[in-house]
Amino acid sequence: MATFYIFMFLPFFSALLVPFLYKYLNRQIHTGWFVLLAPLSILIYLLQYIPSIAAGETYKFTLSWIPTLGIDITTYVDGLALLFGLLISGVGALVIVYSIFYMSKGREALHHFYVYLLLFMGAMLGLVFSDHLLVLYGFWELTSVSSFLLIAYWYERKSSRQGALKAMLITVIGGFGMLAGFIMLIMMGDTYSIREIIAQVDVIQQHSLFIPAMLCILLGAFTKSAQFPFGIWLPDAMEAPTPVSSYLHSATMVKAGIYLVARMTPIFGGSSVWFWLVAGVGIITLLYGSLSALRQTDLKALLAYSTISQLGLIMSLLGVGSLAVYFGPGEQGTVFTVATFAALFHLFNHSTFKGSLFMVVGIIDHETGKRDVRYLGGLMQVMPITFTIAMIGAFSMAGLPPFNGFLSKEMFFGAVTELAHVSTFGLESIGILFPIIAWVASIFTFVYCMIFVFKTFGGKYHPEKLTRKVHEASLGMLFAPMVLGLLVVLIFFFPNVLGKYILAPALTSVLPMMPVTAYDLKISAWHGFNMELLMTIGVVVIGFLLFKSAKRWVRVIRNYPQELTLTHLYNIALPAMEKGAASLTNRYMTGSLRHYLSYIFSFFVMLLLGSLLLLYGIQFDFSNNASISLFDVGLVLVMIIAALTVLFTNHRVVAIVALGAVGYMVSMFFVIFRAPDLALTQMVVETVTTVLFLLCFYHLPKLKKDIERIPFKLTNLIISLAVGLTVTILALSANGHKLFEPITSFFENAFELAGAKNIVNAILVDFRGFDTMLEISVLAIAGLGVYVLIHQRSKRREHDETE
Amino acid sequence: MIFQTILLIALGILMLSILANMYRVVKGPSGADRVQALDSIGINMIASIAAYSVLFHTHAFFDLILLIGILSFIGTIAFARFIERGVVIERKR
């Protein structure tokens, strides 16, 4: 168990060491050689699992992390996780070998590059081995972050930064949706473990959160795996160094969504929504990607769209395969089990050939300085080995024998043609569309594969268009694509070895309910003259004719208006959102204090009056009130007159005098209500305030001195009346309802308890002296503040005078 | 009893006087009129507080009476200086 975790976290430990190695050893040895040890050892360690996993065993390890919350780093090693683990470590090792020769030792910041790459590798391994949903999400986000860092590796380029931002935004939005879906799953199953959720799938399928959880999780999977319409980040992510594109954006990260869909198939598979979303979106992505790839002249962009298209193919196969869950064990179920098998098979194949193709483009870019097909051509004689690898990869992608893409494409055709015979989920009417779209998309795939090979390597050689003297790449750089190319061919001739030891156990984890023996035979049944072969022949013939006549029609696709692409939509949506948010904020954040005050008061009224009305809080009870004397009425009248004078006067001195009158009357009321201390304080404070007002008045700027009366505004009147009314109602309602006896009787013992005859003073300095202390500090702060403000101002004035 | 009635009547008259002063505060054509009226309100307050003290049989408000005497004077002086010179406290240069 400990060994497993050591290997799982090995990339993170190595990432810690990389900067030191770079600093002290980079002069002699390329840092990549040390980094290579990590994926190699992981690969060798994981290879040991193959026999036991193929025999049907699974392993579960638990590393305690936050036990009180039930969060542990639970890992579950089964066929699917092992398949991905082998891909990640294997392609990872090859990509690092490639990067050693691709990334210059002197010019590049290798310590950044390898730290990010190792972080990504560790995150990806954690993702595929996690059984705990929240830990899986954590690793998922870590792949997004490390991918962001890798895309923006050449951060001084604007396009790199934009591509990284786009990838980050889209994948993180999806990841967030996925987290919501996971939480719903956890709520439904009352467990964090995917294993245990699968075990109680019957309960979950009846739950009302089933569909929302599915949609949220699919959002995460579709954004990560660049499905329609979220695929737009992938072409822009091509700004990353080529080893990164090869590793992340063809072989591993973009398959995280595929992994998630495969992992969730036992839970959601069998539902019609799942089938239609996964298969439908997949097949649309397949067509969209292959059509868009035709428009590209940049080789990397072409490969990016072809990745999108192939991912759509895998996704649609997984969707078709989920029908097996619906039909269950039986003849029809077995047919669709083959679809899932084909998905896993193509997943593996795609990693091999697409990884090698990206490396080929990197080599071309490295040797010629260009990767635009319009500048390239005739490289066949100059770079024969590169050409051979490119041909193997591209022909495999196009689905030609004798390469592994042929097998998976045949199985794909087989699976989609089966759909025409299904009479559930509404397939009887439009099920026939699936094979047609798949076939058309395959023709386009064939065409762009041919463009890739023959526009780059065929035709005439134009040395004058290229900046460098072209020659074959070094053997070190060719090593990794050669290994992958070799795999492409080997898998074609010995597919059953791979099928039996790696893909069959993976299939068991995707479709645990299907018996193993039913498809055991199907793996080897790739020969025979059938419908699939006819379709492939059709693809080749029509594709060849289209490629030959490409000059006539390719302009039609290239001239497809830029305004109608999804990228354009993203490009206008982002500034539009910023603009919308800015205008919304500017509309209410006016900078005017009056507006903010009116918002505050309106909400005050709405909240208080609303809750008073809704909760039936308006109940007046005057039974306990004291009687009102004529003298009180007179004083109130004086106060009202004085207050109104403040409002309606057009002279400031009058307002100050009237305010003084109000203050005096308040003091008078304190007398009537028998509060001598308050009356004293009120008198003094009122006088001081009046004098202060006069001081301020003198310092007002000259221009505004002769201000007229306050301008009338209806909204202000309404708000002020409403606030007054609210407070009055609140006070009157509160007055009639005393919930419990006041505690004043305690303070009446002031003499016995505190030795004071004045209760108010005893409360202030004895019973509640703490408040008094803090109020004294408030006064001190206010005094200091006033001093500082005046002092600073006079200092500045002196400063200005000296200038 | 009669004494109390007399006190209440006195309070009523004082209140009317304050109201009348308030009329001057509002109406008063010049600032000086208003300040005068405010000063007068202070004097009336002194009287009413005294009447109240007798009515309540307490001497707790005697401090207040003295204080109003002082403060109303200070306030009036401040206003007077303001109206006369535009400044309340002059700076010594």
Side-chain angles (χ1 to χ4, degrees):
Chain A
M1 183 195 127
T3 348
F4 186 82
Y5 281 106
I6 287 171
F7 281 100
M8 192 171 128
F9 290 119
L10 188 64
F12 296 121
F13 299 137
S14 337
L16 282 176
L17 284 176
V18 162
F20 298 103
L21 289 170
Y22 175 78
K23 194 175 175 190
Y24 295 112
L25 292 169
N26 191 44
R27 294 258 168 84
Q28 292 91 37
I29 312 165
H30 195 285
T31 317
W33 290 114
F34 304 106
V35 178
L36 181 61
L37 293 175
L40 262 187
S41 49
I42 296 168
L43 180 67
I44 291 163
Y45 176 73
L46 286 179
L47 283 173
Q48 297 171 0
Y49 277 90
I50 291 180
S52 52
I53 297 277
E57 280 179 59
T58 53
Y59 298 88
K60 191 172 176 177
F61 306 110
T62 305
L63 184 69
S64 191
W65 182 21
I66 314 176
T68 47
L69 295 178
I71 297 177
D72 301 312
I73 305 179
T74 316
T75 55
Y76 182 74
V77 189
D78 62 352
L80 186 66
L82 188 69
L83 166 66
F84 272 90
L86 289 172
L87 274 181
I88 292 159
S89 51
V91 180
L94 288 173
V95 159
I96 286 170
V97 171
Y98 177 72
S99 74
I100 289 168
F101 295 93
Y102 185 85
M103 307 293 280
S104 156
K105 197 164 67 170
R107 282 199 308 271
E108 302 285 359
L110 289 175
H111 52 314
H112 293 172
F113 181 76
Y114 286 114
V115 167
Y116 301 158
L117 201 67
L118 283 169
L119 268 184
F120 171 77
M121 191 182 288
M124 202 65 206
L125 280 173
L127 196 162
V128 297
F129 284 116
S130 286
D131 186 49
H132 193 287
L133 282 170
L134 292 183
V135 175
L136 198 159
Y137 171 73
F139 283 121
W140 182 281
E141 288 300 296
L142 196 55
T143 61
S144 294
V145 171
S146 50
S147 161
F148 169 79
L149 291 169
L150 282 167
I151 296 168
Y153 171 70
W154 288 308
Y155 54 81
E156 63 280 357
R157 295 183 192 169
K158 193 172 178 229
S159 52
S160 292
R161 296 196 301 270
Q162 279 177 341
L165 185 68
K166 198 172 177 182
M168 183 79 166
L169 277 176
I170 293 175
T171 54
V172 167
I173 287 170
F176 210 64
M178 193 187 79
L179 176 65
F182 280 177
I183 290 170
M184 285 185 228
L185 259 189
I186 292 166
M187 281 161 65
M188 283 191 281
D190 200 25
T191 172
Y192 291 109
S193 161
I194 301 174
R195 286 299 98 203
E196 289 165 29
I197 287 172
I198 291 174
Q200 45 181 318
V201 68
D202 295 336
V203 185
I204 287 167
Q205 275 172 348
Q206 307 302 322
H207 204 282
S208 57
L209 282 177
F210 181 68
I211 297 289
M214 180 201 290
L215 295 179
C216 287
I217 289 174
L218 276 184
L219 179 72
F222 286 171
T223 50
K224 198 77 161 182
S225 280
Q227 297 297 299
F228 188 83
F230 307 112
I232 50 171
W233 65 266
L234 189 59
D236 286 14
M238 292 302 129
E239 293 300 331
T242 306
V244 173
S245 311
S246 169
Y247 187 41
L248 273 71
H249 306 126
S250 72
T252 52
M253 189 180 89
V254 287
K255 301 223 164 80
I258 304 270
Y259 168 80
L260 191 71
V261 168
R263 204 29 118 202
M264 295 290 158
T265 297
I267 302 172
F268 296 113
S271 127
S272 63
V273 183
W274 178 265
F275 167 78
W276 277 111
L277 273 177
V278 177
V281 170
I283 204 109
I284 291 169
T285 312
L286 169 63
L287 188 65
Y288 160 78
S290 57
L291 257 176
S292 303
L294 283 175
R295 295 172 43 214
Q296 309 305 321
T297 54
D298 180 3
L299 287 177
K300 262 182 124 177
L302 187 149
L303 286 183
Y305 278 109
S306 92
T307 304
I308 293 177
S309 153
Q310 301 283 311
L311 290 170
L313 192 158
I314 301 171
M315 197 64 97
S316 68
L317 273 174
L318 281 176
V320 175
S322 75
L323 278 178
V325 184
Y326 177 79
F327 289 115
E331 200 184 329
Q332 233 177 343
T334 312
V335 168
F336 292 110
T337 312
V338 177
T340 308
F341 185 76
L344 296 170
F345 190 36
H346 196 70
L347 171 93
F348 192 92
N349 292 347
H350 178 250
S351 295
T352 55
F353 66 70
K354 192 52 67 68
S356 73
L357 283 178
F358 267 110
M359 290 175 190
V360 162
V361 171
I363 290 169
I364 295 169
D365 192 10
H366 200 266
E367 300 305 325
T368 65
K370 289 270 187 297
R371 46 170 220 244
D372 194 316
V373 282
R374 287 171 297 189
Y375 295 97
L376 299 169
L379 294 177
M380 203 189 291
Q381 283 84 19
V382 195
M383 306 166 82
I385 307 175
T386 317
F387 165 68
T388 315
I389 301 165
M391 201 186 67
I392 292 172
F395 283 11
S396 174
M397 184 155 73
L400 294 179
F403 308 110
N404 58 8
F406 172 72
L407 301 178
S408 37
K409 179 105 9 147
E410 295 272 279
M411 290 167 93
F412 172 55
F413 284 153
V416 288
T417 44
E418 277 305 322
L419 279 180
H421 309 308
V422 179
S423 54
T424 41
F425 295 166
L427 271 168
E428 59 274 11
S429 49
I430 54 171
I432 191 72
L433 273 178
F434 274 91
I436 293 172
I437 296 177
W439 191 65
V440 171
S442 296
I443 294 172
F444 290 136
T445 307
F446 184 87
V447 176
Y448 71 67
C449 288
M450 293 305 114
I451 289 176
F452 179 82
V453 176
F454 292 109
K455 293 273 176 198
T456 318
F457 295 98
K460 280 190 191 127
Y461 179 44
H462 301 285
E464 73 281 356
K465 281 188 186 170
L466 302 172
T467 44
R468 294 177 203 169
K469 180 98 180 65
V470 182
H471 53 80
E472 184 59 275
S474 67
L475 199 65
M477 210 186 239
L478 285 169
F479 173 75
M482 268 156 73
V483 171
L484 287 172
L486 202 65
L487 264 177
V488 168
V489 182
L490 276 180
I491 291 171
F492 175 80
F493 288 108
F494 308 102
N496 290 320
V497 182
L498 180 77
K500 190 178 167 198
Y501 287 103
I502 294 171
L503 298 181
L507 183 57
T508 319
S509 19
V510 181
L511 300 172
M513 65 293 288
M514 303 305 290
V516 182
T517 47
Y519 50 79
D520 238 354
L521 291 170
K522 294 274 178 185
I523 298 169
S524 48
W526 55 271
H527 250 300
F529 196 76
N530 48 15
M531 181 70 186
E532 291 93 300
L533 195 63
L534 281 176
M535 281 170 87
T536 306
I537 291 167
V539 165
V540 174
V541 172
I542 298 179
F544 186 72
L545 291 175
L546 275 178
F547 172 64
K548 276 289 156 197
S549 60
K551 278 209 175 104
R552 302 210 187 107
W553 56 266
V554 87
R555 204 172 292 129
V556 180
I557 299 183
R558 290 232 172 103
N559 289 348
Y560 176 78
Q562 278 293 319
E563 284 73 31
L564 294 176
T565 56
L566 288 170
T567 311
H568 182 73
L569 188 70
Y570 169 89
N571 286 342
I572 55 170
L574 214 58
M577 271 159 72
E578 278 173 22
K579 226 169 154 186
S583 74
L584 186 71
T585 311
N586 287 339
R587 191 160 296 162
Y588 71 91
M589 298 298 281
T590 51
S592 156
L593 213 57
R594 284 179 196 197
H595 289 161
Y596 301 155
L597 282 177
S598 60
Y599 304 150
I600 293 171
F601 283 128
S602 314
F603 274 96
F604 172 82
V605 169
M606 276 194 277
L607 267 176
L608 275 180
L609 208 58
S611 52
L612 275 175
L613 287 170
L614 284 175
L615 304 172
Y616 307 107
I618 305 176
Q619 285 164 357
F620 298 146
D621 177 14
F622 299 120
S623 55
N624 290 331
N625 283 12
S627 58
I628 303 167
S629 74
L630 193 69
F631 191 71
D632 303 344
V633 177
L635 288 184
V636 170
L637 205 65
V638 172
M639 274 177 92
I640 290 173
I641 294 169
L644 287 176
T645 312
V646 175
L647 271 186
F648 292 107
T649 185
N650 48 8
H651 205 276
R652 273 216 174 101
V653 175
V654 182
I656 295 171
V657 172
L659 266 181
V662 172
Y664 278 18
M665 288 307 113
V666 171
S667 173
M668 202 59 217
F669 267 107
F670 285 142
V671 172
I672 295 172
F673 296 140
R674 296 172 181 76
D677 297 288
L678 280 181
L680 270 176
T681 321
Q682 167 68 21
M683 242 2 254
V684 177
V685 170
E686 188 55 44
T687 311
V688 173
T689 319
T690 308
V691 174
L692 274 179
F693 272 135
L694 286 174
L695 263 176
C696 294
F697 186 26
Y698 172 72
H699 283 289
L700 278 178
K702 290 264 186 311
L703 270 175
K704 294 230 172 165
K705 246 179 187 174
D706 46 356
I707 183 175
E708 330 78 82
R709 58 194 304 163
I710 304 166
F712 178 76
K713 279 194 189 106
L714 188 64
T715 42
N716 288 2
L717 178 72
I718 292 168
I719 290 173
S720 59
L721 283 180
V723 170
L725 195 71
T726 310
V727 174
T728 311
I729 291 173
L730 194 69
L732 288 177
S733 302
N735 191 35
H737 299 276
K738 286 217 168 75
L739 292 175
F740 42 79
E741 281 301 300
I743 56 162
T744 42
S745 54
F746 173 75
F747 296 117
E748 279 162 17
N749 309 325
F751 190 69
E752 291 89 71
L753 293 169
K757 285 177 184 164
N758 187 331
I759 295 180
V760 175
N761 289 354
I763 292 172
L764 282 178
V765 298
D766 192 304
F767 296 120
R768 312 268 323 247
F770 203 62
D771 296 356
T772 313
M773 186 186 83
L774 291 177
E775 266 161 38
I776 289 169
S777 29
V778 167
L779 278 181
I781 291 166
L784 277 174
V786 168
Y787 172 76
V788 168
L789 284 175
I790 292 172
H791 191 65
Q792 289 287 348
R793 192 153 174 261
S794 56
K795 242 170 88 178
R796 200 186 310 144
R797 197 177 295 153
E798 275 165 29
H799 187 68
D800 288 346
E801 276 165 11
T802 53
E803 269 181 351
Chain B
M1 197 63 211
I2 299 167
F3 186 59
Q4 224 167 10
T5 322
I6 292 170
L7 279 174
L8 285 173
I9 292 168
L11 274 172
I13 293 168
L14 283 166
M15 186 203 72
L16 288 178
S17 169
I18 292 177
L19 267 174
N21 276 313
M22 206 54 223
Y23 174 77
R24 201 31 71 203
V25 167
V26 179
K27 194 77 189 168
S30 74
D33 289 309
R34 296 186 166 99
V35 176
Q36 276 280 327
L38 191 66
D39 191 41
S40 178
I41 288 177
I43 306 291
N44 278 311
M45 276 173 69
I46 293 177
S48 7
I49 291 166
Y52 259 112
S53 299
V54 179
L55 205 60
F56 292 164
H57 296 290
T58 174
H59 51 78
F61 297 111
F62 289 0
D63 307 347
L64 187 60
I65 291 174
L66 289 173
L67 190 81
I68 294 177
I70 298 164
L71 290 180
S72 143
F73 173 71
I74 292 175
T76 313
I77 292 292
F79 271 114
R81 281 179 76 103
F82 181 76
I83 292 167
E84 185 77 1
R85 305 180 187 171
V87 203
V88 180
I89 302 161
E90 273 176 287
R91 216 181 279 179
K92 277 178 188 164
R93 293 197 185 259

